[in-house]
Every structure is written in C-alpha cells, then in structure tokens.
Amino acid sequence: MLPLPFRRRPRTPGHAGMWAVLALLLSLASQSAQAIPAYARQTGSACADCHAGAYGPALTPYGMRFKLNGYTDTDGQGTKIPVAAQLTETHSNPKTGPSDTSLTEGDLYLAGRVSDNVGGYIKVEADHTGHNTYNTRLSNVDLRYVAKELKIAGKDTTIGVSVNNSPGFQDPIAALPNASFLAPGGTTATLLNPAAPNSPTNRVIGATVYALYDKVWYAEAGSYRSLAPGTQDELGYNRNGDPGKLSNTGYFRFAYMKDMRTQFFSAGVVALTTKRQLPRAATRDDIDDFGYDLTYQYLGNREHIVQASYVNIYERRDYGQPLPNPAVPGTFESDNGSARDQVTSLAYTFRQTYGLQLSRLKSTGSQSAARYPPFGNPDSTINLITVFWAPFGKDDSWITKGNLKLGATWFRVSRFNGRSSNVFGAPPGAASTDASDLNAFSLSASIAF
C-alpha cells in the first residue's frame, strides 16, 4: 500500500510531526455526517426519526430505508428546496501545544429528491486551514436511481444504482468507516479507512448496483476509478494525497438486516479489491480488503437507545516492487504485507437528546523497517469518549426541521508507531514524545438549518 515514493522519513519528536498527528485525530471527530434538515423538510419527519441521536450521525431503521430509497421519500406536500447548511465552531485543547478556537467548518448540502426515482446527497465543505483562511472542497457525493415496490418471487424488492466518491459511504447500515466516520489513524490503514495514507475517500468516482430483498437481505457490487490529479486539485484536494491509479477495482457488500421495531440487528461482509500504482508510473500493487461488521440497536420507545457496533477489516498487499531492507544491507524486504483496522463502538442516547459514545480505534500492520520508520511497526490504538446534547429535531421540540449540537470529545492515544513511549524515535538525550502526549480534548458547537 505504501510503495517507494511514499516511504516515510524517520519522524522526529519535533512539533511538526506531532501537530500533523493531532490534526488527523481531531478531524476524525469533526467530519461526522449529521442530520440534514433538507431531508426533514422533504419528508415532513423530524430529524430524530432518521437518527438515533436527533443530530446524527447514527441511522435508525427508518433512516436506513430512506437512504435505500434513494433519498426520494416525501410527504407529498409540494416541492421542497433541497438545500441545507451547517456551521461548526470548535475549541481544541491538545495535551502538548497551544489551544485554538475557530469556526472549523462550514458545509453546504444539496440533498433530496429530484423525482420519484432519483435523489441524492452532495456536500460542499469549507475547512479552516489557518488564520482566517479556508479550503473549499467537494466532500461526499451519493447520487441514486432507485426502483421501489418491486416484487421478486412474491417478496418486496428494492433495486438501485449509486454513483458515489467514497467506497462504503453509500452503505445503508452506516457501520463502515466512510459512513460512521470512526476511523483508526496512524501510519498505515486499509483502503476502506478514510484516515489511511493516500485514501481513495472523495478522490475516486464509481457506481454500484444494490438490492434489498424481502426487507432483510442486502447485496451491492460495483467499481471505482481514481480521479485525475488535476481534477482532485480543482475539487479542493492536495495532490500529495493522490490515491494513485486504480484499475480492476471491485467493491462487494452483503448483509443481513433485521428490523424488529424496538430492536435492530445486522451482520455484513465487505470486500474491496484493486491494483494500484502509486505514484501513477510505479509498478502495480495488488490490494485486497476483506471485512465483516456487526451492529445492534435497542430502540424501545426512543427514550433509551443503546447502539453497539464492531467492524474488522483486513487488507492483503502484494507489492509490485520490494524495498531494500535497511536492517540487512544487500537484501530486500518481503513483497507481501498486510494491515487491519478494527473499530468498536458503544453509544447510549437518552430521549434522543443526551448522548455518550465510547469508541476504540485500532490499526495494525505487518512489520517493515523500510515502510514504517523509525521502529518498523505501524500499530496504533486510539480511544474516543464523546458526550453531546442535541435539544431540537424531535416531534415535541421547538424546532423539528433543524438542530443544534454541543459536544465534547476526549482523544486518548495509548499506542502510536507500535509504542507507548518515545513514539517518534528521539535520540538519547533529546526530548521525546509519548503516545499520551498526543491526547487532546475538544469542545464543539454545530448548527444545522
């Protein structure tokens, strides 16, 4: 996954490397997809009907059906303008380094139905990049055509096509990293992880065909290709993050989804396979992702909601060109490698207003002195603790078609670069950085309208 030009230089314990890691960790919590008021206005439903917490991102079975139906469901009360917006103010307080308070993100959503069979989701995102400067980019895209109310062998069937730019974002269960926005961060990760180095997230375009049979069996298959570097640049993405040239790419998803009214359970498998050239003139690496996921929701009467999920994705890599082994001059490292991402999450929501979420994000990979200096070990473990308050977006609240969310998140890093101490390999006598020095705390306020 990390060929020759992406070889990482040995990191120093200086501030630059540490701030880069902190920025990555903070972004994992700030990029969560939220309830889109345009959908609430279109359907006549409150935000809490689709989301376990009234502001999102976790979907209820009702929200999953809305997504499967191509974002086209409506209350039939005339045409609604499919536009919404979100603003997020964040105070970041890292354990080591200066605190910062800024308007971190402004989002514009073009989201809703075009016709009975066509609908979509487009997010344009402006991210704070420095003093009074912002970078505008095209974020997640999911455009759909859907045929509903079909019958196959007497069973209800829905068949659709999704054109999207992030493998896994279109998934209705919203457990995969691109949909849940819970992604392990570190020096390696799987292609299905948006925090992976040179991730394909938002930098590819593809189409998948999906079907829901008998309301419980879900299947999806499709393909992707990476956008040209110039196109990525025009869409607001730095060329250094180019995922490379992808070919023979296939995406596959199969899941069992059971809505039991007061409870929901799903079990699924996912695969992504491709041949990648990074940079684009390099030899091809064969990359195959295989994963499984389990989710459970206790919804009850919506006063107490409990959600649990586990995702495990394994990536197999066959490198087109092995790297020289720095530990044994004159030899080469293995041309095979692997990576694994695991995400465990448990959330409790009271009256869809007050919430607590605990998440453990773990990334591991095969040893490689050339690819993962200074220790040859890319393993990382991050724990997130999040509490939030979302007062609106419910049928009995003052505002049902918009919302406010106040949240606090603790980032606890217990392992980075395979170590808990001196994670950047400072020489004897120099100041070192421990994994816990990467801890951070953030407060955020978001409003959607």
PDB file of all heavy atoms in Angstrom, residues 107-123:
ATOM      1  N   ASP A 107     -20.529  23.935   5.938  1.00  0.00           N
ATOM      2  CA  ASP A 107     -20.957  22.948   4.945  1.00  0.00           C
ATOM      3  C   ASP A 107     -22.222  23.399   4.238  1.00  0.00           C
ATOM      4  O   ASP A 107     -23.133  23.963   4.859  1.00  0.00           O
ATOM      5  CB  ASP A 107     -21.230  21.596   5.610  1.00  0.00           C
ATOM      6  CG  ASP A 107     -20.049  21.090   6.410  1.00  0.00           C
ATOM      7  OD1 ASP A 107     -18.925  21.168   5.889  1.00  0.00           O
ATOM      8  OD2 ASP A 107     -20.253  20.635   7.550  1.00  0.00           O
ATOM      9  N   LEU A 108     -22.282  23.117   2.951  1.00  0.00           N
ATOM     10  CA  LEU A 108     -23.481  23.323   2.155  1.00  0.00           C
ATOM     11  C   LEU A 108     -23.909  21.972   1.607  1.00  0.00           C
ATOM     12  O   LEU A 108     -23.100  21.252   1.013  1.00  0.00           O
ATOM     13  CB  LEU A 108     -23.211  24.294   1.007  1.00  0.00           C
ATOM     14  CG  LEU A 108     -24.380  24.526   0.040  1.00  0.00           C
ATOM     15  CD1 LEU A 108     -25.525  25.239   0.744  1.00  0.00           C
ATOM     16  CD2 LEU A 108     -23.932  25.315  -1.193  1.00  0.00           C
ATOM     17  N   TYR A 109     -25.160  21.607   1.830  1.00  0.00           N
ATOM     18  CA  TYR A 109     -25.686  20.327   1.359  1.00  0.00           C
ATOM     19  C   TYR A 109     -26.717  20.563   0.254  1.00  0.00           C
ATOM     20  O   TYR A 109     -27.654  21.364   0.423  1.00  0.00           O
ATOM     21  CB  TYR A 109     -26.371  19.567   2.497  1.00  0.00           C
ATOM     22  CG  TYR A 109     -25.468  19.184   3.630  1.00  0.00           C
ATOM     23  CD1 TYR A 109     -25.327  20.022   4.741  1.00  0.00           C
ATOM     24  CD2 TYR A 109     -24.753  17.994   3.618  1.00  0.00           C
ATOM     25  CE1 TYR A 109     -24.505  19.676   5.796  1.00  0.00           C
ATOM     26  CE2 TYR A 109     -23.926  17.632   4.674  1.00  0.00           C
ATOM     27  CZ  TYR A 109     -23.805  18.484   5.761  1.00  0.00           C
ATOM     28  OH  TYR A 109     -22.991  18.140   6.808  1.00  0.00           O
ATOM     29  N   LEU A 110     -26.543  19.892  -0.857  1.00  0.00           N
ATOM     30  CA  LEU A 110     -27.564  19.786  -1.885  1.00  0.00           C
ATOM     31  C   LEU A 110     -28.093  18.368  -1.767  1.00  0.00           C
ATOM     32  O   LEU A 110     -27.436  17.409  -2.205  1.00  0.00           O
ATOM     33  CB  LEU A 110     -26.977  20.049  -3.276  1.00  0.00           C
ATOM     34  CG  LEU A 110     -26.249  21.388  -3.447  1.00  0.00           C
ATOM     35  CD1 LEU A 110     -25.643  21.489  -4.837  1.00  0.00           C
ATOM     36  CD2 LEU A 110     -27.189  22.556  -3.196  1.00  0.00           C
ATOM     37  N   ALA A 111     -29.244  18.212  -1.140  1.00  0.00           N
ATOM     38  CA  ALA A 111     -29.667  16.884  -0.728  1.00  0.00           C
ATOM     39  C   ALA A 111     -31.178  16.748  -0.820  1.00  0.00           C
ATOM     40  O   ALA A 111     -31.916  17.556  -0.248  1.00  0.00           O
ATOM     41  CB  ALA A 111     -29.207  16.613   0.710  1.00  0.00           C
ATOM     42  N   GLY A 112     -31.623  15.732  -1.550  1.00  0.00           N
ATOM     43  CA  GLY A 112     -33.053  15.496  -1.636  1.00  0.00           C
ATOM     44  C   GLY A 112     -33.453  14.817  -2.916  1.00  0.00           C
ATOM     45  O   GLY A 112     -32.623  14.348  -3.697  1.00  0.00           O
ATOM     46  N   ARG A 113     -34.764  14.777  -3.157  1.00  0.00           N
ATOM     47  CA  ARG A 113     -35.306  14.083  -4.319  1.00  0.00           C
ATOM     48  C   ARG A 113     -35.299  14.983  -5.544  1.00  0.00           C
ATOM     49  O   ARG A 113     -35.460  16.202  -5.451  1.00  0.00           O
ATOM     50  CB  ARG A 113     -36.727  13.589  -4.032  1.00  0.00           C
ATOM     51  CG  ARG A 113     -37.723  14.680  -3.774  1.00  0.00           C
ATOM     52  CD  ARG A 113     -39.112  14.130  -3.455  1.00  0.00           C
ATOM     53  NE  ARG A 113     -39.909  13.948  -4.656  1.00  0.00           N
ATOM     54  CZ  ARG A 113     -40.460  12.802  -5.011  1.00  0.00           C
ATOM     55  NH1 ARG A 113     -40.283  11.720  -4.282  1.00  0.00           N
ATOM     56  NH2 ARG A 113     -41.186  12.718  -6.112  1.00  0.00           N
ATOM     57  N   VAL A 114     -35.099  14.364  -6.691  1.00  0.00           N
ATOM     58  CA  VAL A 114     -35.266  15.018  -7.977  1.00  0.00           C
ATOM     59  C   VAL A 114     -36.575  14.552  -8.608  1.00  0.00           C
ATOM     60  O   VAL A 114     -37.309  15.332  -9.212  1.00  0.00           O
ATOM     61  CB  VAL A 114     -34.070  14.721  -8.904  1.00  0.00           C
ATOM     62  CG1 VAL A 114     -34.287  15.324 -10.277  1.00  0.00           C
ATOM     63  CG2 VAL A 114     -32.784  15.236  -8.280  1.00  0.00           C
ATOM     64  N   SER A 115     -36.868  13.268  -8.447  1.00  0.00           N
ATOM     65  CA  SER A 115     -38.114  12.682  -8.933  1.00  0.00           C
ATOM     66  C   SER A 115     -38.449  11.499  -8.035  1.00  0.00           C
ATOM     67  O   SER A 115     -37.767  11.253  -7.032  1.00  0.00           O
ATOM     68  CB  SER A 115     -37.963  12.223 -10.390  1.00  0.00           C
ATOM     69  OG  SER A 115     -37.078  11.116 -10.487  1.00  0.00           O
ATOM     70  N   ASP A 116     -39.484  10.748  -8.387  1.00  0.00           N
ATOM     71  CA  ASP A 116     -39.855   9.580  -7.580  1.00  0.00           C
ATOM     72  C   ASP A 116     -38.741   8.548  -7.531  1.00  0.00           C
ATOM     73  O   ASP A 116     -38.689   7.728  -6.609  1.00  0.00           O
ATOM     74  CB  ASP A 116     -41.119   8.922  -8.155  1.00  0.00           C
ATOM     75  CG  ASP A 116     -42.368   9.746  -7.906  1.00  0.00           C
ATOM     76  OD1 ASP A 116     -42.308  10.638  -7.034  1.00  0.00           O
ATOM     77  OD2 ASP A 116     -43.381   9.507  -8.575  1.00  0.00           O
ATOM     78  N   ASN A 117     -37.853   8.566  -8.526  1.00  0.00           N
ATOM     79  CA  ASN A 117     -36.828   7.530  -8.619  1.00  0.00           C
ATOM     80  C   ASN A 117     -35.404   8.055  -8.522  1.00  0.00           C
ATOM     81  O   ASN A 117     -34.459   7.266  -8.523  1.00  0.00           O
ATOM     82  CB  ASN A 117     -36.974   6.759  -9.941  1.00  0.00           C
ATOM     83  CG  ASN A 117     -38.342   6.168 -10.131  1.00  0.00           C
ATOM     84  OD1 ASN A 117     -39.164   6.707 -10.854  1.00  0.00           O
ATOM     85  ND2 ASN A 117     -38.609   5.066  -9.459  1.00  0.00           N
ATOM     86  N   VAL A 118     -35.228   9.358  -8.451  1.00  0.00           N
ATOM     87  CA  VAL A 118     -33.891   9.943  -8.457  1.00  0.00           C
ATOM     88  C   VAL A 118     -33.743  10.895  -7.271  1.00  0.00           C
ATOM     89  O   VAL A 118     -34.608  11.740  -7.019  1.00  0.00           O
ATOM     90  CB  VAL A 118     -33.612  10.709  -9.766  1.00  0.00           C
ATOM     91  CG1 VAL A 118     -32.231  11.349  -9.731  1.00  0.00           C
ATOM     92  CG2 VAL A 118     -33.734   9.773 -10.965  1.00  0.00           C
ATOM     93  N   GLY A 119     -32.647  10.733  -6.549  1.00  0.00           N
ATOM     94  CA  GLY A 119     -32.345  11.620  -5.434  1.00  0.00           C
ATOM     95  C   GLY A 119     -30.863  11.577  -5.132  1.00  0.00           C
ATOM     96  O   GLY A 119     -30.106  10.838  -5.767  1.00  0.00           O
ATOM     97  N   GLY A 120     -30.442  12.365  -4.150  1.00  0.00           N
ATOM     98  CA  GLY A 120     -29.010  12.362  -3.877  1.00  0.00           C
ATOM     99  C   GLY A 120     -28.594  13.150  -2.663  1.00  0.00           C
ATOM    100  O   GLY A 120     -29.413  13.732  -1.940  1.00  0.00           O
ATOM    101  N   TYR A 121     -27.280  13.150  -2.488  1.00  0.00           N
ATOM    102  CA  TYR A 121     -26.609  13.810  -1.364  1.00  0.00           C
ATOM    103  C   TYR A 121     -25.297  14.361  -1.899  1.00  0.00           C
ATOM    104  O   TYR A 121     -24.472  13.617  -2.439  1.00  0.00           O
ATOM    105  CB  TYR A 121     -26.351  12.779  -0.257  1.00  0.00           C
ATOM    106  CG  TYR A 121     -25.506  13.240   0.914  1.00  0.00           C
ATOM    107  CD1 TYR A 121     -26.093  13.488   2.143  1.00  0.00           C
ATOM    108  CD2 TYR A 121     -24.127  13.376   0.813  1.00  0.00           C
ATOM    109  CE1 TYR A 121     -25.325  13.873   3.241  1.00  0.00           C
ATOM    110  CE2 TYR A 121     -23.349  13.766   1.889  1.00  0.00           C
ATOM    111  CZ  TYR A 121     -23.958  14.016   3.101  1.00  0.00           C
ATOM    112  OH  TYR A 121     -23.195  14.401   4.172  1.00  0.00           O
ATOM    113  N   ILE A 122     -25.102  15.668  -1.774  1.00  0.00           N
ATOM    114  CA  ILE A 122     -23.846  16.303  -2.159  1.00  0.00           C
ATOM    115  C   ILE A 122     -23.451  17.260  -1.043  1.00  0.00           C
ATOM    116  O   ILE A 122     -24.248  18.101  -0.631  1.00  0.00           O
ATOM    117  CB  ILE A 122     -23.962  17.078  -3.490  1.00  0.00           C
ATOM    118  CG1 ILE A 122     -24.355  16.142  -4.625  1.00  0.00           C
ATOM    119  CG2 ILE A 122     -22.645  17.780  -3.819  1.00  0.00           C
ATOM    120  CD1 ILE A 122     -24.621  16.863  -5.941  1.00  0.00           C
ATOM    121  N   LYS A 123     -22.225  17.140  -0.570  1.00  0.00           N
ATOM    122  CA  LYS A 123     -21.726  18.011   0.489  1.00  0.00           C
ATOM    123  C   LYS A 123     -20.533  18.810  -0.024  1.00  0.00           C
ATOM    124  O   LYS A 123     -19.555  18.241  -0.514  1.00  0.00           O
ATOM    125  CB  LYS A 123     -21.299  17.177   1.706  1.00  0.00           C
ATOM    126  CG  LYS A 123     -20.724  17.998   2.854  1.00  0.00           C
ATOM    127  CD  LYS A 123     -20.295  17.093   4.002  1.00  0.00           C
ATOM    128  CE  LYS A 123     -19.653  17.882   5.135  1.00  0.00           C
ATOM    129  NZ  LYS A 123     -19.186  17.007   6.235  1.00  0.00           N
TER     130      LYS A 123
END
